[in-house]
Structure formats: structure tokens, C-alpha cells
Amino acid sequence: MGVVTPGFQGRARSGNPRLPPGQYLAEDFPVLSAGPTPRVRTETWEFTVTTETGEKHAWSWSELTALPSEKFTVDIHCVTQWSKLDTRWRGVPVDTLVGGLDTAADYVMAHSYGGYTTNLPLADLLDGQAWIVYEYGGKPLTPEHGGPARLLVPHLYFWKSAKWVRGLELKTRDEPGFWENVGYHDYGDPWREQRYQGD
Amino acid sequence: MARTAVSGRLAWRVARLAEFRDETPTARTLVFDLPGWPGHLAGQHVDVRLTAADGYRAQRSYSLAAPADGDRIELTVQRVADGEVSEHLTGPYAIGDPVEIRGPVGGWFVWRPADLEPVLLVAGGSGIVPLMAMVRAHRAAGVRTPFKLIYSLRTPAELYYAEELRTPVAGLDVTYVYTREQPEGRDEIPRRINVATLNTAAWPAEFGATCFICGPTGFVETVADILVALGHDPHRIRTERFGPSRD
Ligand SMILES: Cc1cc2nc3c(=O)[nH]c(=O)nc-3n(C[C@H](O)[C@H](O)[C@H](O)COP(=O)(O)OP(=O)(O)OC[C@H]3O[C@@H](n4cnc5c(N)ncnc54)[C@H](O)[C@@H]3O)c2cc1C
């Protein structure tokens, strides 16, 4: 136990088993990002997957949205301590985009319009664990929340769910992305409170 | 290795309250003694952790309000109604009481005295805190980098660092925007920051200024969108969003 601050009691604990440690329930949907919100037009939007050998696969907006999509409901957890339960999304599973590729990569760097990057193990994006989503709550995803499309990896802290995603780069080596480079955790498991490097 | 250095740097340390100053009826600057502090850059933040007698812990982020100064650091905390941590830190928390602090965190929303581009700071409410650290770092370094600060607040009573900001500093130009109530004698209608404000009070886009915007989400979104619309390079616009998530 850490050093006790006299008189501090804290709030009544929620005891909600769906809340990871240190998280509170948000009713609204806070917005956090490192810079201005890019406005990306679907007419020129393109999503690419690049393998470690440089082989590139690209989808236009109409091609991506023509792929079989899934509607699903998940909880999301932001490193700034809010969590939101039962959020509803629609998108294309990453399996559909990456599954058939010939790759030996273990890692992925997600790239966004606007320059943001974040790194993840490839295994965390497969087997129905991650999607490229374009609808939230039954409506097109708004620019503040990463529209037209964002990566969604609900089992990791939300900074891994890159907004305005434009591509996935498969890599044989793990390299830090934007926040990981300034001290955030490489993996970011909310249940283990992996906020910063060394957690 | 680098990794070990970072995890060491982010160890929790015990800090004790050395001094405090009330900025407004609802905001307090806390000065901590923090032995072994490694130093930090203006714009970085720390995590503060409080532990209750039964072992319960709560942790929140707070921006560093002043540049590095040995083993002392300053935070300014705005009391949030019903806020678990801010109510304690602006209320019962007393001189000599411990908290745990780790950091510094964040390497993006920072200003270094060696940066030569002009700087635009846009603060909404308590978003002034990390920007004030930059203003103070700028003054302490005695560099000529031109700074402009646009500070949006509801009423004159909510001004933080009032005396210090009132003292003119060469190279720092401050514009206040009051959204609900103007100071006495100022003959303008209270309003929010808009295109006209930024057109007049910010650097022209061609100057290639680095822009730091900090405040509640809606504020940051609006200001960043306007700056982009006025031609500022999105890559030079850095944002930090905090304050209650409900605007
Ligand atoms: C990078 C960064 C820098 C920051 N810098 C500063 C700074 O310099 N100064 C500053 O004053 N603040 C700063 N903040 C905000 C700060 O971290 C806290 O969010 C703020 O002090 C409120 O914390 P709190 O514990 O008092 O309130 P909380 O208890 O977290 O409450 C905040 C709001 O969330 C809701 N809420 C939270 N927990 C619960 C719950 N369990 N049940 C129901 N509702 C809940 C409440 O409705 C309340 O309105 C910063 C935040 C970040 C991310």
C-alpha cells in the first residue's frame, strides 16, 4: 500500500466488474487527441495494408464499405480513466483485410490521416478482436470520434484504436508509435493498468 | 537501457505540500517538495495518487504549472463539484501532507526555450496551467521568441495567476476573452473565441507559429478548427484536452 494521505477517503467504489481498475463510467463520449481533427473526405479516402515485404493492398471507401460488416457492442476504456459500456459499432473485421495475406509479421503500426501512429501486436487485431469501424450508435462515425473510419481494439486502452485510420503496416519488429514514443505503455492492457512504460 | 531509465523515471515518489496559494475561490496552486525530482519540460504533466486509510487509491493527471526548479514542483488544481481528487487537493489537503507523484509525462505538448518559432498559446479556463508553465519558462530563459497568449475565461474572478499576468513582460502579448462577464470598464459584449478573435489576436498563419491549445474538449475543437481554417499548418497545432468531460 502506498503512503496514506490523511483525511482522504475517496468516493464510494462502484464495484462494477466490467470497470477495469482506476476507471470511472462516462455517460458522454469524451474526445482526446493530440491535434486538430482532420476532416477526411470519403471520395479521396483510401485504406491500405502493407506487408513487411512492401506488398500493398488498398481499398477505396466504396470497396471497404461493400465488404461484409459486423455490428457489435463492446466496452471501451480510455487511459484518462473513463470507460464507456455497451458502445455500438459497425465495421469490417481486421481478419477480412489481413487474414489472407502472406506475412510473417508479428507487429502492426497503424497510421492515421493527420500523422498519428500506434503500434500493436498483430495477434491482437485478429480472431474477431479488432475492426475498421465506420458507424457508431447506428450513425456514420463523426470526425471527432475518428470518422470516416477508425481502428477499434476494445480490449486495449483507447489510444490504440487509431482515429482517422488510413492504413496498417505489418512489421517484423515492434516499434513505438506516437504516444508510445513519449512514454506510454507499449501494449496498454486496461485490466493491468498499463498506462506508461514500466507499468 | 532506455527502457529501464524510463521506468525509473516514472517511479512513484512521495511529495509533501510545502505551500499553497488560492488563485480563485475554486482553484488552488499547490507547491510540493519532491525529493529526487528529475526535472521536466514546460507543458508536461504528472500523475498524482491519493491513498485512503483503507488502501483505496485514486489517481489523476495534473499539468506542471511552472518550469523545473530543483525538488519543487507546482500544480494548479481546479475544484470540480463532486470531484474525488480535486475536492481533496483544494480542500482538506494541508501543509506537510503526503501524496504520491510520478512523472514527468508527455513529450509532445511541450515548449523548449531552444524552439525558435513564434508561439501562440490559447487557454480555456484551467487550460491555462500548462501554458503558464511555458510563459514562465520563456521568461526564465530570457529568450526573444515572441509569445502570444489568448486566455478565455467566463468572468474576471476566474483569472488564475492574475498578478503575474498583469505585469507586462517583453515578448509576451496577452489577450483576454470573457465569455460571461467583462471586467469593469471594458466595453465589449461577452462572447466566445471566434474567427475574428483569432484573426486579430493570433499570429498570421504565414508566421509558422507553433500553437498550443489547452482547455475543455469543445473549446479545443473549436479553436483548432478555426486555426486550421485560417491556414495554420495542422502539424504545428498541439492540443491538450482536460477539464470535465461534460462541457
Ligand atoms: C493531461 C491532463 C492534464 C490535466 N491538468 C490539469 C490541471 O492542470 N488542473 C486541473 O485542475 N485539472 C487538470 N486535469 C484534469 C484532472 O486530471 C481531473 O480530471 C480533475 O481534477 C477532476 O478530477 P476529480 O477527481 O476531482 O473529479 P472526478 O471525481 O474524476 O470527477 C470528474 C467528473 O467525472 C464524473 N465522475 C468521475 N468519477 C465518477 C464516478 N466514480 N461516478 C460518477 N461520476 C464520476 C463526475 O461527474 C465529475 O463531474 C488534467 C487532465 C489531464 C488528462
Side-chain angles (χ1 to χ4, degrees):
Chain A
M1 186 169 108
V3 44
V4 171
T5 301
F8 177 68
Q9 292 179 333
R11 224 196 314 262
R13 328 312 186 234
S14 80
N16 187 334
R18 285 166 70 186
L19 275 185
Q23 297 293 110
Y24 73 86
L25 267 188
E27 298 302 328
D28 58 346
F29 193 162
V31 176
L32 289 151
S33 39
T37 296
R39 311 280 154 174
V40 187
R41 292 156 44 105
T42 50
E43 291 86 339
T44 50
W45 185 90
E46 186 186 61
F47 179 79
T48 58
V49 173
T50 315
T51 68
E52 72 276 19
T53 57
E55 194 185 307
K56 190 171 146 179
H57 304 262
W59 290 264
S60 68
W61 183 253
S62 54
E63 286 167 343
L64 184 99
T65 52
L67 293 173
S69 66
E70 289 180 3
K71 285 189 179 178
F72 56 96
T73 301
V74 291
D75 301 346
I76 54 178
H77 312 290
C78 176
V79 70
T80 63
Q81 302 190 292
W82 55 267
S83 290
K84 211 167 158 51
L85 305 183
D86 298 322
T87 57
R88 293 186 297 119
W89 306 86
R90 177 170 167 195
V92 176
V94 173
D95 298 280
T96 307
L97 304 163
V98 173
L101 298 182
D102 180 18
T103 177
D106 284 327
Y107 302 98
V108 173
M109 185 70 85
H111 293 266
S112 295
Y113 288 93
Y116 180 77
T117 54
T118 189
N119 58 314
L120 307 105
L122 178 58
D124 281 80
L125 297 185
L126 301 178
D127 300 325
Q129 298 183 88
W131 297 262
I132 303 298
V133 294
Y134 48 80
E135 269 182 31
Y136 169 69
K139 299 210 181 77
L141 189 61
T142 58
E144 297 81 70
H145 293 306
R150 76 183 295 164
L151 178 64
L152 192 82
V153 195
H155 69 285
L156 299 178
Y157 277 129
F158 219 40
W159 88 78
K160 295 285 181 180
S161 292
K163 294 179 188 174
W164 314 297
V165 70
R166 63 180 301 175
L168 301 177
E169 183 191 358
L170 306 183
K171 298 165 79 83
T172 49
R173 279 165 189 267
D174 191 23
E175 270 172 49
F178 180 87
W179 289 121
E180 295 82 8
N181 245 320
V182 294
Y184 279 77
H185 199 275
D186 200 56
Y187 184 63
D189 180 348
W191 295 94
R192 290 190 275 163
E193 284 201 82
Q194 292 176 335
R195 298 172 190 282
Y196 306 123
Q197 287 169 39
D199 276 350
Chain B
M1 252 190 65
R3 178 141 194 152
T4 336
V6 170
S7 55
R9 201 165 67 108
L10 283 180
W12 290 102
R13 301 165 202 271
V14 177
R16 285 177 193 279
L17 186 64
E19 293 169 19
F20 66 85
R21 296 187 288 278
D22 284 334
E23 299 291 345
T24 72
T26 58
R28 177 169 287 181
T29 292
L30 305 167
V31 183
F32 297 90
D33 274 328
L34 188 41
W37 183 247
H40 60 268
L41 298 168
Q44 287 188 298
H45 65 269
V46 295
D47 279 359
V48 175
R49 179 162 82 180
L50 300 187
T51 303
D54 66 359
Y56 171 78
R57 283 170 168 173
Q59 168 185 331
R60 298 287 183 276
S61 300
Y62 292 98
S63 301
L64 290 147
D69 175 21
D71 285 349
R72 286 214 151 178
I73 64 159
E74 275 187 45
L75 310 178
T76 303
V77 178
Q78 162 81 51
R79 178 154 67 240
V80 172
D82 223 17
E84 184 172 46
V85 169
S86 65
E87 283 205 333
H88 189 81
L89 291 179
T90 57
Y93 186 57
I95 301 289
D97 281 357
V99 289
E100 286 174 287
I101 287 183
R102 69 172 178 175
V105 188
W108 166 248
F109 194 83
V110 295
W111 179 77
R112 296 174 172 83
D115 297 344
L116 298 175
E117 298 80 25
V119 171
L120 172 67
L121 309 173
V122 190
S126 59
I128 186 68
V129 179
L131 305 183
M132 193 63 189
M134 297 180 192
V135 166
R136 289 167 165 165
H138 174 246
R139 191 181 48 209
V143 291
R144 283 162 178 257
T145 325
F147 265 49
K148 279 180 187 271
L149 166 65
I150 305 175
Y151 185 178
S152 169
L153 57 170
R154 292 199 181 102
T155 68
E158 289 180 18
L159 180 65
Y160 294 9
Y161 319 118
E163 211 162 306
E164 194 175 340
L165 283 175
R166 233 180 340 250
T167 317
V169 179
L172 172 68
D173 174 39
V174 188
T175 305
Y176 299 93
V177 176
Y178 297 93
T179 61
R180 303 260 172 91
E181 183 194 320
Q182 295 282 354
E184 213 146 314
R186 192 166 127 144
D187 188 22
E188 264 174 53
I189 300 165
R191 58 178 166 80
R192 295 185 169 206
I193 289 191
N194 58 22
V195 179
T197 328
L198 289 168
N199 220 351
T200 325
W203 300 107
E206 315 79 82
F207 283 31
T210 308
C211 308
F212 296 91
I213 313 169
C214 185
T217 291
F219 175 87
V220 170
E221 278 289 303
T222 309
V223 173
D225 284 351
I226 296 176
L227 289 175
V228 172
L230 288 174
H232 286 261
D233 177 356
H235 293 105
R236 291 195 176 276
I237 301 178
R238 302 185 177 202
T239 59
E240 182 110 289
R241 298 157 209 250
F242 64 74
S245 51
R246 272 176 222 97
D247 295 308

